[in-house]
Amino acid sequence: MIVAAFLRWVETAKAQERAKAANALARAYLKSEMSPEERHKAQVAMTYLLDDPSPQVRLALAEVLAAEPRAPRGLMVSLAEDQPEIASSVILLSPVLTDADLVDIAGRGTVETRALVAARGTVSVGVAAALAEIGDACELEVLLENPGARLTPFTLKRIAERHGRSERIRALLLERDDLSAGLRQLLVQFVAEALSGSGLVLGAIGSRRIERIAREASDSATVALLSDVHGDELRRLTEQLRTAGRLTPAFLMHALCAGRTDFFAAAIEAISGLDERRVRAILATGRLHAVRALLEATGLSREISPLFVDAIMQWRSLIQSANGLDLDNIAHRLIARHREQTDLSEAARALLDMVERLAIAEERRLARDYASGLALAAA
């Protein structure tokens, strides 16, 4: 009788009064002692209020029920599909909504709706994966900033692939400790693309030079990344670079001069298709002609293969040296031994130019580090 009287009263009450009544009814449903029959009738009354023409009434229900695990599921699903100011608290807070509900809400919703799903206290693997597939950059920023979001390597990969050109997305991804080397390399590539596509930079430097600078900057960042990559992850990254066409002679020489010998061997294995033990044995102990034959089997031309052979032999000498490794000497020795040759091909000379730029860049870095050390000591 009480619920029937309530429903008759609702027909004539003002919107503000109906909103207060809806608030009181929802609170009573959650906190008052009710028989099963009374609870059922209260739920029927709240369900009836879902069709109230005033948003105030539905908002009053949402404000009370949003965070409650005992809230009726039918009400919460309906409120989550209401207009934004009503649905927002339900989407953000309701523990009643299932992963399937949230995926459906994200798929049919707006940018704002998906951002609310991404900001929930806990975002499951499945919901996060769905957002990564359909979300725009702005709501994926919310997802990446959410410590309660469970992001798998595959989800992070999809975010990087779809929105890695966004500066903010790149920054949030690179802050993560669980980002794979392959994804870091992909983001490095997006940075290089952004640099080469900048109108201001193109106007100041010129397209040809900026292409070279961007390529070498990308290579330098990737080579630096390789210092912390080993085992299976190194093989995966090497294959990623091979598939992307990044294992160029210039990049391989850059890696070799920087001391990334494990990566260099993995790259030769990936390109040649030869057995790992055989490749590493030739690189480590093979005679000159065997090393050269191996390199040329990967597609290196006879014009530049001698430079690679020389670099590999120098590495062997340094490894066996009682003085330990001197990484700077590789680039400098290559330049000293080959720069003055008059019979160098255009390809070999271009490769040496790149090696010389590496050596100069390394000298500048060492000088900056030395100056910084002096400043710290003085402080």
Side-chain angles (χ1 to χ4, degrees):
M1 290 294 292
I2 295 176
V3 171
F6 173 81
L7 294 178
R8 287 194 299 270
W9 172 81
V10 163
E11 294 293 332
T12 58
K14 294 180 180 180
Q16 188 173 3
E17 294 172 341
R18 298 199 307 273
K20 289 181 179 178
N23 181 289
L25 179 60
R27 291 181 184 278
Y29 178 87
L30 294 174
K31 299 180 180 180
S32 299
E33 293 294 332
M34 292 183 177
S35 67
E37 182 180 0
E38 289 173 330
R39 187 169 298 279
H40 172 70
K41 289 180 178 179
Q43 183 173 334
V44 169
M46 289 190 293
T47 302
Y48 176 79
L49 292 176
L50 292 174
D51 293 319
D52 193 286
S54 172
Q56 284 182 274
V57 175
R58 306 193 302 279
L59 180 61
L61 287 175
E63 287 175 342
V64 175
L65 299 174
E68 289 294 334
R70 293 175 297 157
R73 172 173 162 73
L75 265 74
M76 305 319 292
V77 171
S78 297
L79 289 170
E81 296 174 346
D82 211 313
Q83 59 194 62
E85 62 268 28
I86 297 169
S88 58
S89 61
V90 176
I91 295 171
L92 182 64
L93 301 171
S94 178
V96 174
L97 298 177
T98 66
D99 284 356
D101 295 329
L102 295 170
V103 170
D104 189 48
I105 288 168
R108 292 185 291 104
T110 63
V111 169
E112 292 77 16
T113 301
R114 290 190 292 272
L116 289 167
V117 174
R120 284 173 62 91
T122 300
V123 181
S124 72
V125 169
V127 174
L131 288 170
E133 290 294 337
I134 63 176
D136 293 332
C138 54
E139 59 252 39
L140 293 181
E141 289 179 20
V142 176
L143 185 68
L144 290 169
E145 290 173 338
N146 183 356
R150 298 176 59 192
L151 305 177
T152 65
F154 179 79
T155 296
L156 292 172
K157 180 173 182 288
R158 290 299 293 145
I159 294 173
E161 289 172 343
R162 295 186 62 239
H163 295 292
R165 290 176 176 82
S166 162
E167 182 178 354
R168 181 59 181 159
I169 291 290
R170 287 198 304 269
L172 289 169
L173 285 170
L174 290 170
E175 288 174 359
R176 300 182 66 91
D177 296 331
D178 57 349
L179 201 67
S180 70
L183 281 188
R184 291 183 183 278
Q185 193 282 320
L186 177 62
L187 295 174
V188 164
Q189 186 62 30
F190 286 141
V191 172
E193 290 178 9
L195 177 63
S196 62
S198 167
L200 177 63
V201 176
L202 284 170
I205 299 178
S207 60
R208 296 186 66 179
R209 187 179 176 200
I210 193 58
E211 285 176 7
R212 175 180 62 78
I213 292 173
R215 183 181 64 253
E216 292 182 359
S218 175
D219 287 352
S220 295
T222 303
V223 168
L225 175 67
L226 289 169
S227 63
D228 297 321
V229 184
H230 308 284
D232 290 340
E233 189 176 15
L234 177 61
R235 283 187 283 275
R236 287 193 295 270
L237 177 56
T238 303
E239 181 59 25
Q240 176 180 321
L241 292 169
R242 186 194 69 78
T243 303
R246 295 290 307 282
L247 298 183
T248 62
F251 181 72
L252 293 175
M253 179 60 80
H254 191 158
L256 195 55
C257 289
R260 309 296 185 256
T261 52
D262 279 348
F263 166 75
F264 183 81
I268 298 301
E269 293 163 24
I271 299 170
S272 67
L274 297 175
D275 177 73
E276 176 184 357
R277 290 184 180 180
R278 182 181 177 192
V279 169
R280 292 183 179 271
I282 293 174
L283 291 176
T285 60
R287 295 177 182 270
L288 283 171
H289 70 275
V291 175
R292 183 167 179 173
L294 171 63
L295 296 175
E296 292 179 2
T298 67
L300 285 178
S301 69
R302 286 180 174 268
E303 296 175 329
I304 60 175
S305 61
L307 295 177
F308 280 89
V309 173
D310 192 358
I312 290 167
M313 294 304 168
Q314 288 189 51
W315 261 109
R316 287 187 190 176
S317 298
L318 288 173
I319 290 171
Q320 296 167 3
S321 170
N323 297 324
L325 301 183
D326 186 357
L327 305 187
D328 299 337
N329 280 344
I330 296 291
H332 286 101
R333 288 178 185 179
L334 282 176
I335 296 165
R337 293 173 63 163
H338 297 279
R339 171 61 76 189
E340 302 304 322
Q341 291 182 13
T342 57
D343 59 345
L344 280 178
S345 67
E346 184 177 345
R349 197 164 294 282
L351 191 60
L352 276 179
D353 287 342
M354 185 275 294
V355 171
E356 186 170 33
R357 287 194 296 273
L358 290 178
I360 292 170
E362 181 64 12
E363 288 174 354
R364 294 178 65 176
R365 185 190 67 78
L366 291 173
R368 288 194 300 269
D369 289 349
Y370 178 71
S372 298
L374 290 178
L376 287 172

